[in-house]
Amino acid sequence: MGKRKTQRKNAEMLDSDDDSSSISSSSTMRSDRMSVSGIEEVEINKDNLLDEAVDALYEKRGSTREKALASITEAFNSDLQHQFVEKKFATLLHQCLSCIKKGSSKEISLASNFIGLLALTVGPGDNAREILEESITPISQASKSGSEPSKIASLLECLAIITFVGGVDPEETEKSMQIMWQSVHPKLGSNVVTIKPSAVVITAVVSAWSFLLTTMDGWRLSPKLWQESIAYLSTLLDKDDRSVRIAAGEALAVIFEMGSLEKFAAEAKGSSNGSISEGNKSKEGFSHIQGLRAKILNQVRDLSVEAGGKGSAKKDLNNQRNLFKDVLEFLEDGYCPETSMKIGGDSLQTSTWSQLIQLNFLRHFLGGGFTKHMQENEFLQDVFGFTPKRRNLLGSEHISNSQKRMYKSPNSVMSKARTQMLNKQRMQSKDRNFGHFAVNAGDEDS
């Protein structure tokens, strides 16, 4: 009824010969035009500010570049800057790589964080592949230079993101995972002094490695390599730092979800058809795997009921208990934790460890920009099978016509990105022998 009354009132105003009605109508039209003009002006101002920030990346003063990187990152977190990326993609990427090569630890952290954000913004496709190909060597070199934990953590998180988005071949993901492990197990030369990695670095390595592991369906890795990686993660469950224990627990959950340990145990048990010596070795391998599983089960059980130590943050302790209770239930009964979180008026749900690890990693990486990206980033929506109410996209009066075309067109960046993502998933689902990855220096040299 209210709507009909409004329509009738407007009709009467248009039909009236009264001067005041005409003035009122003209004034409303001018106001509407001013409103639209105001929105466009704001968009132009935002682009101008971004242009200025990009120009500042060329400045010699490091603090100026740091401020510019922080400003650009904030803009990309608060809105998906597709149009700006179309104009400035190459400049953004290469200037950020320049910051990684010559900047301070803070500048490197900011630049690597933005490169990951840039990859998530463009989605799978040629641009994402270029980001990975151009960035992997500078990131690898920077992660080996210096020992600032936050810098190394930012670089490895960036590497995980750009590989997740831009990597098509499993060998590319394997290479990135090797670089990550080298941060805690560096290749040693005769003149190399080992530096014990900090808890921050170990947590970053294990979390990033686990994140990429979730994409590795179909790998046929050797039992030896899997056993060594699982044994290393088991040692991390005994570390003092709670963040390290949690990261290791999540990694083990993904490995067990893939069925790797059980598969290798079955292979060891069933490979005793050869000589007596081979049979004895296989029995030893099977016993070792079973013993390792039993050890991890006991560790998980203990961590799920751990009492808080002196100075222990209650929230962190509860997070640890809840995680390891879920891991214990999974190991004993096979149940994966099911989660649900509200994004706007919509619900994003996970039902596997892989999905949960991906969700947690991306939430951590995007921080305050996570909600915005989940509402508007079609690549992330495809990853999680999440479909938000379209009022936030095409139905929104605040979205520009050019942005609407970007989402609707079958030739758009996002449509092409969706196609690339689906192709990538199909390739990964094929049962192929994708080779091996090394866990430590000994594996890499063998």
Side-chain angles (χ1 to χ4, degrees):
M1 288 295 290
K3 190 173 182 180
R4 289 198 189 98
K5 284 182 179 178
T6 303
Q7 289 173 337
R8 280 200 300 271
K9 183 178 179 181
N10 288 341
E12 289 167 2
M13 287 176 64
L14 290 170
D15 292 339
S16 172
D17 292 328
D18 182 71
D19 291 339
S20 64
S21 296
S22 298
I23 292 170
S24 175
S25 178
S26 298
S27 175
T28 301
M29 292 172 66
R30 280 198 302 272
S31 176
D32 289 343
R33 284 198 297 270
M34 289 173 65
S35 177
V36 173
S37 176
I39 293 172
E40 291 176 350
E41 187 175 340
V42 169
E43 289 180 355
I44 291 171
N45 287 338
K46 285 181 179 178
D47 281 353
N48 288 339
L49 290 172
L50 273 172
D51 281 327
E52 291 174 7
V54 172
D55 290 341
L57 295 178
Y58 290 91
E59 295 290 332
K60 291 183 178 180
R61 189 185 294 273
S63 59
T64 302
R65 297 195 301 268
E66 289 171 9
K67 289 179 182 177
L69 286 166
S71 176
I72 296 169
T73 298
E74 183 180 356
F76 273 69
N77 260 332
S78 60
D79 197 8
L80 273 70
Q81 305 287 342
H82 292 300
Q83 288 177 293
F84 190 77
V85 169
E86 284 185 352
K87 295 186 296 181
K88 298 282 188 175
F89 171 76
T91 301
L92 286 166
L93 175 59
H94 292 123
Q95 285 309 115
C96 285
L97 290 176
S98 177
C99 292
I100 286 178
K101 291 173 184 177
K102 67 182 182 183
S104 64
S105 291
K106 182 179 179 181
E107 185 177 344
I108 290 172
S109 295
L110 288 166
S112 56
N113 184 262
F114 177 73
I115 289 175
L117 189 55
L118 181 63
L120 288 173
T121 300
V122 301
D126 293 339
N127 283 347
R129 286 198 58 74
E130 182 178 344
I131 292 173
L132 178 59
E133 291 169 0
E134 295 289 329
S135 304
I136 191 166
T137 298
I139 287 176
S140 176
Q141 292 173 346
S143 67
K144 296 173 185 175
S145 63
S147 57
E148 175 61 39
S150 61
K151 180 197 79 171
I152 298 172
S154 295
L155 286 164
L156 297 179
E157 287 170 0
C158 170
L159 180 59
I161 292 291
I162 64 176
T163 305
F164 183 75
V165 182
V168 175
D169 298 324
E171 288 82 3
E172 293 172 327
T173 303
E174 175 188 348
K175 182 178 180 181
S176 293
M177 294 172 79
Q178 287 176 351
I179 292 171
M180 292 168 186
W181 278 114
Q182 287 166 13
S183 298
V184 289
H185 293 293
K187 290 182 178 180
L188 301 180
S190 57
N191 298 321
V192 176
V193 179
T194 60
I195 300 175
K196 188 177 180 180
S198 68
V200 171
V201 171
I202 294 174
T203 301
V205 167
V206 176
S207 296
W209 182 85
S210 304
F211 177 66
L212 291 183
L213 183 63
T214 63
T215 69
M216 291 294 99
D217 295 343
W219 266 25
R220 291 180 179 175
L221 299 175
S222 75
K224 178 177 179 289
L225 293 178
W226 269 123
Q227 286 177 41
E228 289 175 351
S229 65
I230 294 166
Y232 172 68
L233 292 170
S234 175
T235 66
L236 296 185
L237 295 181
D238 293 329
K239 296 296 182 182
D240 292 334
D241 190 274
R242 185 162 281 123
S243 63
V244 170
R245 298 200 296 265
I246 290 174
E250 291 178 336
L252 286 165
V254 173
I255 290 172
F256 279 108
E257 183 176 65
M258 295 172 71
S260 302
L261 202 60
E262 288 77 4
K263 180 182 73 173
F264 299 142
E267 288 178 359
K269 190 175 182 179
S271 61
S272 57
N273 296 327
S275 65
I276 295 175
S277 61
E278 288 178 351
N280 290 334
K281 286 182 181 179
S282 66
K283 287 179 181 178
E284 289 174 5
F286 176 72
S287 298
H288 176 70
I289 293 169
Q290 292 296 93
L292 188 57
R293 190 184 192 284
K295 178 189 175 184
I296 291 171
L297 190 61
N298 287 331
Q299 289 175 302
V300 168
R301 187 177 290 111
D302 290 342
L303 290 170
S304 69
V305 294
E306 183 189 46
K310 185 178 180 181
S312 174
K314 186 174 181 180
K315 181 181 178 182
D316 293 340
L317 179 60
N318 288 337
N319 287 340
Q320 175 187 289
R321 286 173 177 167
N322 291 334
L323 168 70
F324 285 101
K325 283 177 183 176
D326 287 337
V327 176
L328 183 63
E329 185 177 15
F330 176 66
L331 292 179
E332 290 184 334
D333 303 317
Y335 295 116
C336 291
E338 295 184 356
T339 67
S340 179
M341 66 178 298
K342 286 289 183 182
I343 298 177
D346 306 292
S347 179
L348 191 161
Q349 299 176 329
T350 69
S351 57
T352 66
W353 279 108
S354 292
Q355 290 175 335
L356 183 58
I357 291 334
Q358 289 177 1
L359 178 61
N360 287 341
F361 191 89
L362 288 164
R363 283 179 68 188
H364 166 75
F365 183 82
L366 288 168
F370 176 76
T371 297
K372 185 71 173 178
H373 272 262
M374 283 310 308
Q375 288 177 331
E376 298 188 9
N377 190 320
E378 295 193 10
F379 164 63
L380 293 184
Q381 291 167 8
D382 287 342
V383 168
F384 294 106
F386 175 69
T387 306
K389 291 182 175 63
R390 290 300 172 182
R391 67 168 183 269
N392 293 324
L393 295 175
L394 304 182
S396 172
E397 61 187 24
H398 297 295
I399 195 168
S400 67
N401 289 330
S402 60
Q403 286 174 309
K404 290 179 183 178
R405 287 194 297 272
M406 190 172 293
Y407 282 111
K408 287 180 176 179
S409 170
N411 295 318
S412 72
V413 173
M414 298 310 296
S415 293
K416 290 178 180 177
R418 268 200 311 278
T419 302
Q420 291 280 348
M421 180 63 181
L422 292 173
N423 288 340
K424 179 181 176 182
Q425 290 174 337
R426 280 193 289 269
M427 287 179 66
Q428 290 174 342
S429 67
K430 294 180 179 179
D431 188 16
R432 295 164 48 197
N433 186 352
F434 293 141
H436 308 305
F437 74 93
V439 175
N440 53 35
D443 298 327
E444 289 157 7
D445 295 335
S446 61

